[in-house]
Every structure is written in C-alpha cells, then in structure tokens.
Amino acid sequence: KSGVIAACSVRGDFFGTRDVSVLEKALLGCRYERDEAAAALTGIGVGDVISGASAEDLISLLFQADEEYSEDAEDKCIER
C-alpha cells in the first residue's frame, strides 16, 4: 500500500533457532525498496531464523521478481 509493506508472511522449513515472525515484524511498515528492507533487517540475525541464509539472501529473494521484470522491460525497449 503506497509503497509500504503492509503484510508479510515468510514460510518454509528453515531449521533456525529463532521464530520467523522476527523477520516478518521487521519488514512491516518499511518502504518496499531494497535499501529500506536491508536497513530493517540490520541486526536481526537472518541466519538465526533461516539457517545458512544472510540478510542479502533474503533481500535478493524479496526483490527478485521486480528485478527480473525490470530487466525484461529493458530488454524489450532495447529490441525496438
């Protein structure tokens, strides 16, 4: 809503030592921008929630679809 994360649900088998709700709560209310989400996750210890993952791994997943869409749009502009 208005570029702000209003709802967030992270699901999977993570084998972490902390509850996934820590990540969800950290992202709620932050702007849907890569730098903003990264700042919201600073100090959370993403690897404690999702075993073996870093904050950058999670950020990459969150913004992967947007980046792929952007690249596709660029490719289509270049083709013309």
Side-chain angles (χ1 to χ4, degrees), residues 1 3 9 15 17 19-20 27-28 30 33 35-37 39 43-44 46 49 55 73 75-76:
K1 182 178 180 178
S9 179
F15 305 108
T17 58
D19 191 76
V20 72
L27 292 168
L28 285 178
C30 88
E33 296 176 8
D35 291 341
E36 294 275 337
I44 297 292
V46 172
V49 179
D75 289 345
K76 288 178 181 170

Side-chain angles (χ1 to χ4, degrees), residues 1-5 27 29-37 63:
K1 182 178 180 178
S2 300
V4 174
I5 299 173
L27 292 168
C30 88
R31 294 198 52 76
Y32 186 72
E33 296 176 8
R34 191 177 187 95
D35 291 341
E36 294 275 337
F63 291 92

Side-chain angles (χ1 to χ4, degrees), residues 27 30-41 55-64 66-67:
L27 292 168
C30 88
R31 294 198 52 76
Y32 186 72
E33 296 176 8
R34 191 177 187 95
D35 291 341
E36 294 275 337
L41 294 174
E56 183 54 37
D57 293 332
L58 183 56
I59 296 297
S60 292
L61 288 172
L62 289 172
F63 291 92
Q64 183 176 21
D66 288 341
E67 291 166 356

